[in-house]
Protein backbone atom coordinates (compact mmCIF):
# COMPACT_ATOMS: atom_id res chain seq x y z
CA UNK A 1 0.00 0.00 0.00
CA UNK A 2 1.00 3.65 -0.30
CA UNK A 3 0.18 6.68 1.89
CA UNK A 4 -0.09 10.17 0.34
CA UNK A 5 -0.71 13.68 1.69
CA UNK A 6 -1.02 17.19 0.30
CA UNK A 7 -0.01 20.66 1.48
CA UNK A 8 -3.32 21.17 3.25
CA UNK A 9 -2.63 18.22 5.53
CA UNK A 10 -5.01 15.78 3.91
CA UNK A 11 -3.76 12.24 3.65
CA UNK A 12 -4.95 8.91 2.35
CA UNK A 13 -3.73 5.35 2.22
CA UNK A 14 -4.30 3.03 -0.74
CA UNK A 15 -5.54 -0.48 -0.54
CA UNK A 16 -2.88 -3.16 -0.52
CA UNK A 17 -1.46 -4.06 -3.92
CA UNK A 18 -0.40 -7.66 -4.28
CA UNK A 19 2.80 -8.22 -6.34
CA UNK A 20 3.28 -11.79 -7.51
CA UNK A 21 6.29 -13.31 -9.18
CA UNK A 22 5.67 -14.64 -12.71
CA UNK A 23 7.54 -17.71 -13.81
CA UNK A 24 7.66 -18.72 -17.47
CA UNK A 25 6.32 -22.20 -18.11
CA UNK A 26 9.46 -23.00 -20.11
CA UNK A 27 12.63 -20.95 -20.52
CA UNK A 28 13.40 -19.57 -23.95
CA UNK A 29 16.28 -21.19 -25.85
CA UNK A 30 17.64 -20.19 -29.25
CA UNK A 31 19.44 -22.25 -31.89
CA UNK A 32 21.50 -20.66 -34.64
CA UNK A 33 22.33 -21.81 -38.16
CA UNK A 34 25.19 -22.08 -40.65
CA UNK A 35 24.50 -21.03 -44.23
CA UNK A 36 26.38 -20.25 -47.41
CA UNK A 37 26.68 -16.61 -48.43
CA UNK A 38 23.44 -15.48 -50.04
CA UNK A 39 21.29 -18.20 -48.42
CA UNK A 40 18.55 -17.71 -45.84
CA UNK A 41 19.24 -18.88 -42.29
CA UNK A 42 16.52 -20.62 -40.29
CA UNK A 43 16.69 -19.73 -36.60
CA UNK A 44 14.86 -21.90 -34.08
CA UNK A 45 13.55 -21.15 -30.61
CA UNK A 46 11.90 -23.27 -27.93
CA UNK A 47 9.90 -22.10 -24.93
CA UNK A 48 6.37 -21.45 -23.78
CA UNK A 49 5.59 -18.09 -25.32
CA UNK A 50 5.56 -16.11 -28.54
CA UNK A 51 9.07 -15.53 -29.91
CA UNK A 52 10.48 -12.15 -30.94
CA UNK A 53 13.88 -11.82 -32.64
CA UNK A 54 16.28 -8.87 -32.28
CA UNK A 55 19.53 -7.73 -33.88
CA UNK A 56 20.94 -6.58 -30.52
CA UNK A 57 20.64 -7.83 -26.95
CA UNK A 58 16.87 -7.81 -27.06
CA UNK A 59 16.13 -4.11 -27.16
CA UNK A 60 14.75 -1.89 -29.88
CA UNK A 61 12.29 -2.96 -32.53
CA UNK A 62 12.17 -6.70 -33.23
CA UNK A 63 13.23 -8.02 -36.62
CA UNK A 64 10.30 -10.41 -36.65
CA UNK A 65 8.81 -13.32 -34.82
CA UNK A 66 8.19 -17.03 -34.85
CA UNK A 67 10.14 -20.25 -35.02
CA UNK A 68 11.64 -21.05 -37.41
CA UNK A 69 12.56 -17.45 -38.15
CA UNK A 70 13.97 -16.84 -41.68
CA UNK A 71 16.88 -14.42 -41.70
CA UNK A 72 19.12 -13.27 -44.56
CA UNK A 73 22.54 -12.45 -43.06
CA UNK A 74 25.11 -10.29 -44.82
CA UNK A 75 27.88 -11.59 -42.54
CA UNK A 76 28.30 -13.86 -39.54
CA UNK A 77 26.40 -12.29 -36.65
CA UNK A 78 24.58 -12.83 -33.35
CA UNK A 79 20.80 -12.60 -33.05
CA UNK A 80 18.67 -12.61 -29.90
CA UNK A 81 15.26 -14.00 -29.07
CA UNK A 82 12.82 -13.17 -26.28
CA UNK A 83 9.53 -14.84 -25.53
CA UNK A 84 6.28 -13.12 -24.65
CA UNK A 85 3.99 -15.07 -22.34
CA UNK A 86 0.95 -13.27 -21.11
CA UNK A 87 2.13 -9.73 -20.56
CA UNK A 88 5.65 -10.70 -19.54
CA UNK A 89 8.68 -10.49 -21.82
CA UNK A 90 11.60 -12.76 -20.97
CA UNK A 91 15.28 -12.04 -20.97
CA UNK A 92 17.05 -12.66 -24.29
CA UNK A 93 18.84 -15.80 -25.43
CA UNK A 94 21.40 -15.58 -28.23
CA UNK A 95 21.83 -17.51 -31.51
CA UNK A 96 24.93 -17.38 -33.70
CA UNK A 97 24.52 -17.22 -37.49
CA UNK A 98 27.61 -18.45 -39.31
CA UNK A 99 27.99 -17.36 -42.94
CA UNK A 100 30.36 -19.55 -45.00
CA UNK A 101 31.94 -18.03 -48.13
CA UNK A 102 31.30 -19.18 -51.68
CA UNK A 103 34.10 -19.62 -54.24
CA UNK A 104 34.88 -16.76 -56.62
CA UNK A 105 34.00 -16.89 -60.30
CA UNK A 106 36.15 -19.27 -62.37
CA UNK A 107 36.48 -19.88 -66.10
CA UNK A 108 37.53 -22.76 -68.35
CA UNK A 109 40.07 -22.76 -71.17
CA UNK A 110 40.44 -25.45 -73.80
CA UNK A 111 39.44 -26.36 -77.35
CA UNK A 112 35.76 -26.46 -78.26
CA UNK A 113 36.21 -28.51 -81.45
CA UNK A 114 38.44 -31.55 -82.02
CA UNK A 115 38.80 -34.43 -84.43
CA UNK A 116 38.66 -38.02 -83.26
CA UNK A 117 42.06 -39.01 -81.88
CA UNK A 118 43.20 -35.51 -80.94
CA UNK A 119 44.02 -34.72 -77.28
CA UNK A 120 41.77 -32.68 -74.99
CA UNK A 121 43.23 -30.49 -72.27
CA UNK A 122 40.57 -28.54 -70.36
CA UNK A 123 41.77 -26.27 -67.56
CA UNK A 124 39.85 -24.37 -64.89
CA UNK A 125 41.31 -21.02 -63.87
CA UNK A 126 40.74 -20.35 -60.18
CA UNK A 127 42.26 -20.58 -56.68
CA UNK A 128 43.99 -23.80 -55.60
CA UNK A 129 41.92 -23.83 -52.39
CA UNK A 130 38.72 -24.47 -54.36
CA UNK A 131 37.40 -27.97 -55.06
CA UNK A 132 36.31 -28.38 -58.69
CA UNK A 133 33.48 -30.86 -59.32
CA UNK A 134 32.81 -31.80 -62.93
CA UNK A 135 29.88 -33.27 -64.79
CA UNK A 136 31.15 -34.59 -68.14
CA UNK A 137 29.93 -36.89 -70.93
CA UNK A 138 32.19 -39.54 -69.38
CA UNK A 139 30.81 -39.10 -65.85
CA UNK A 140 31.72 -37.21 -62.69
CA UNK A 141 35.26 -35.94 -62.14
CA UNK A 142 37.07 -33.80 -59.56
CA UNK A 143 40.05 -31.58 -60.23
CA UNK A 144 41.18 -28.40 -61.99
CA UNK A 145 42.35 -30.23 -65.13
CA UNK A 146 40.68 -32.68 -67.51
CA UNK A 147 43.00 -34.50 -69.89
CA UNK A 148 41.93 -37.02 -72.53
CA UNK A 149 44.85 -38.27 -74.66
CA UNK A 150 42.67 -39.15 -77.66
CA UNK A 151 39.05 -38.04 -77.82
CA UNK A 152 36.27 -40.11 -79.31
CA UNK A 153 32.76 -39.21 -80.39
CA UNK A 154 31.55 -40.29 -76.94
CA UNK A 155 33.55 -37.41 -75.42
CA UNK A 156 31.48 -34.81 -77.26
CA UNK A 157 29.09 -32.73 -75.17
CA UNK A 158 28.91 -30.39 -72.21
CA UNK A 159 31.60 -30.16 -69.53
CA UNK A 160 30.19 -28.37 -66.45
CA UNK A 161 32.47 -27.44 -63.55
CA UNK A 162 31.04 -26.35 -60.18
CA UNK A 163 33.57 -24.77 -57.80
CA UNK A 164 33.03 -25.44 -54.10
CA UNK A 165 34.24 -24.45 -50.64
CA UNK A 166 33.01 -27.35 -48.52
CA UNK A 167 29.22 -27.44 -48.91
CA UNK A 168 29.07 -24.00 -50.53
CA UNK A 169 29.01 -24.01 -54.33
CA UNK A 170 30.00 -21.20 -56.63
CA UNK A 171 28.60 -20.35 -60.05
CA UNK A 172 29.01 -23.31 -62.46
CA UNK A 173 30.97 -22.80 -65.67
CA UNK A 174 30.12 -24.74 -68.83
CA UNK A 175 32.38 -25.67 -71.75
CA UNK A 176 31.03 -27.36 -74.87
CA UNK A 177 33.09 -29.76 -76.98
CA UNK A 178 32.37 -30.93 -80.53
CA UNK A 179 34.17 -34.03 -81.77
CA UNK A 180 34.30 -34.67 -85.51
CA UNK A 181 34.67 -38.20 -86.81
CA UNK A 182 36.19 -38.98 -90.24
CA UNK A 183 33.52 -39.34 -92.91
CA UNK A 184 33.70 -42.05 -95.58
CA UNK A 185 34.60 -40.67 -99.00
CA UNK A 186 32.38 -43.07 -100.88
CA UNK A 187 35.17 -43.73 -103.40
CA UNK A 188 35.64 -47.27 -104.75
CA UNK A 189 38.77 -49.19 -103.83
CA UNK A 190 39.47 -49.85 -107.51
CA UNK A 191 38.19 -48.54 -110.86
CA UNK A 192 38.67 -49.86 -114.39
CA UNK A 193 40.16 -47.43 -116.90
CA UNK A 194 39.92 -48.41 -120.57
CA UNK A 195 42.82 -47.51 -122.86
CA UNK A 196 42.24 -44.05 -124.26
CA UNK A 197 39.36 -43.47 -121.89
CA UNK A 198 38.93 -41.51 -118.68
CA UNK A 199 37.17 -41.86 -115.35
CA UNK A 200 36.01 -39.18 -112.92
CA UNK A 201 36.09 -39.63 -109.14
CA UNK A 202 33.61 -37.44 -107.27
CA UNK A 203 33.58 -36.59 -103.55
CA UNK A 204 30.38 -35.54 -101.74
CA UNK A 205 29.79 -31.76 -101.97
CA UNK A 206 29.91 -31.47 -98.16
CA UNK A 207 33.65 -32.21 -98.14
CA UNK A 208 35.93 -29.20 -97.65
CA UNK A 209 39.72 -28.71 -97.62
CA UNK A 210 40.17 -31.49 -100.18
CA UNK A 211 43.68 -32.64 -101.01
CA UNK A 212 44.28 -35.54 -103.38
CA UNK A 213 47.59 -37.39 -103.36
CA UNK A 214 48.50 -35.80 -106.71
CA UNK A 215 48.05 -32.31 -105.24
CA UNK A 216 44.58 -31.54 -106.62
CA UNK A 217 42.19 -29.70 -104.30
CA UNK A 218 38.97 -30.15 -106.31
CA UNK A 219 36.09 -32.32 -105.08
CA UNK A 220 36.27 -34.21 -108.40
CA UNK A 221 39.25 -35.73 -110.16
CA UNK A 222 39.41 -36.92 -113.78
CA UNK A 223 41.89 -39.71 -114.49
CA UNK A 224 43.23 -40.57 -117.98
CA UNK A 225 46.09 -42.87 -117.00
CA UNK A 226 46.54 -45.61 -114.44
CA UNK A 227 47.64 -44.29 -111.03
CA UNK A 228 47.30 -44.93 -107.32
CA UNK A 229 45.50 -42.31 -105.25
Amino acid sequence: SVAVSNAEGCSDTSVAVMVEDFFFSEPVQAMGDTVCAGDVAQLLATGSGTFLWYANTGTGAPLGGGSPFPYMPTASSMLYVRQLEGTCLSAADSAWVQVAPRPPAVWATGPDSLCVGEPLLLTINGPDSVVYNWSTPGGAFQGALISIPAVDVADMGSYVCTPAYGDCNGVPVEHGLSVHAPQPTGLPEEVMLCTGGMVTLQLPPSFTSVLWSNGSTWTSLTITAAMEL
Side-chain angles (χ1 to χ4, degrees):
S1 62
V2 60
V4 296
S5 61
N6 57 21
E8 288 75 23
C10 299
S11 62
D12 194 11
T13 302
S14 71
V15 297
V17 177
M18 297 297 297
V19 178
E20 297 181 353
D21 288 333
F22 177 83
F23 297 96
F24 289 93
S25 303
E26 295 180 22
V28 62
Q29 289 185 316
M31 287 171 282
D33 197 5
T34 298
V35 296
C36 301
D39 288 348
V40 177
Q42 299 291 335
L43 303 180
L44 302 177
T46 60
S48 53
T50 301
F51 304 112
L52 298 173
W53 294 88
Y54 299 83
N56 46 41
T57 55
T59 59
L63 300 173
S67 177
F69 173 63
Y71 175 68
M72 175 72 81
T74 56
S76 297
S77 56
M78 189 79 78
L79 263 66
Y80 303 85
V81 64
R82 303 175 74 179
Q83 68 173 345
L84 179 65
E85 187 174 349
T87 58
C88 292
L89 192 61
S90 74
D93 193 31
S94 60
W96 178 252
V97 181
Q98 180 70 37
V99 178
R102 293 185 184 274
V106 298
W107 68 97
T109 55
D112 55 14
S113 180
L114 292 172
C115 294
V116 168
E118 291 185 317
L120 169 66
L121 189 63
L122 192 56
T123 305
I124 284 294
N125 300 277
D128 294 337
S129 57
V130 176
V131 175
Y132 299 102
N133 298 307
W134 290 87
S135 172
T136 76
F141 177 79
Q142 191 174 90
L145 177 68
I146 288 183
S147 177
I148 302 177
V151 297
D152 198 353
V153 175
D155 298 313
M156 180 171 60
S158 179
Y159 291 73
V160 180
C161 179
T162 302
Y165 281 147
D167 295 329
C168 296
N169 292 335
V171 178
V173 59
E174 182 176 4
H175 185 89
L177 176 67
S178 298
V179 177
H180 308 282
Q183 300 298 313
T185 62
L187 297 176
E189 294 184 4
E190 187 178 37
V191 293
M192 183 68 69
L193 176 63
C194 298
T195 302
M198 64 179 183
V199 64
T200 299
L201 301 178
Q202 179 69 50
L203 293 173
S206 60
F207 277 55
T208 60
S209 303
V210 174
L211 179 62
W212 297 87
S213 59
N214 66 350
S216 175
T217 57
W218 297 92
T219 55
S220 63
L221 180 65
T222 300
I223 303 171
T224 59
M227 67 173 62
E228 182 177 335
L229 296 172

Coordinates of all heavy atoms in Angstrom, one line a residue, residues 23 45 139 166 188:
F23 N 6.5 -16.8 -13.3 CA 7.5 -17.7 -13.8 C 7.1 -18.3 -15.2 O 6.0 -18.7 -15.3 CB 7.7 -18.9 -12.8 CG 8.2 -18.4 -11.5 CD1 7.4 -18.2 -10.4 CD2 9.6 -18.2 -11.3 CE1 7.8 -17.7 -9.2 CE2 10.1 -17.8 -10.1 CZ 9.2 -17.5 -9.0
A45 N 13.7 -21.5 -32.0 CA 13.5 -21.1 -30.6 C 12.6 -22.1 -30.0 O 11.6 -22.6 -30.6 CB 13.1 -19.7 -30.4
G139 N 31.1 -38.9 -67.3 CA 30.8 -39.1 -65.9 C 31.4 -38.0 -65.0 O 31.9 -37.0 -65.5
G166 N 33.8 -26.5 -49.4 CA 33.0 -27.3 -48.5 C 31.7 -27.6 -49.1 O 31.6 -28.1 -50.3
P188 N 35.4 -45.8 -104.6 CA 35.6 -47.3 -104.7 C 37.1 -47.6 -104.5 O 38.0 -46.7 -104.7 CB 35.3 -47.6 -106.2 CG 35.5 -46.3 -106.9 CD 35.1 -45.2 -105.9

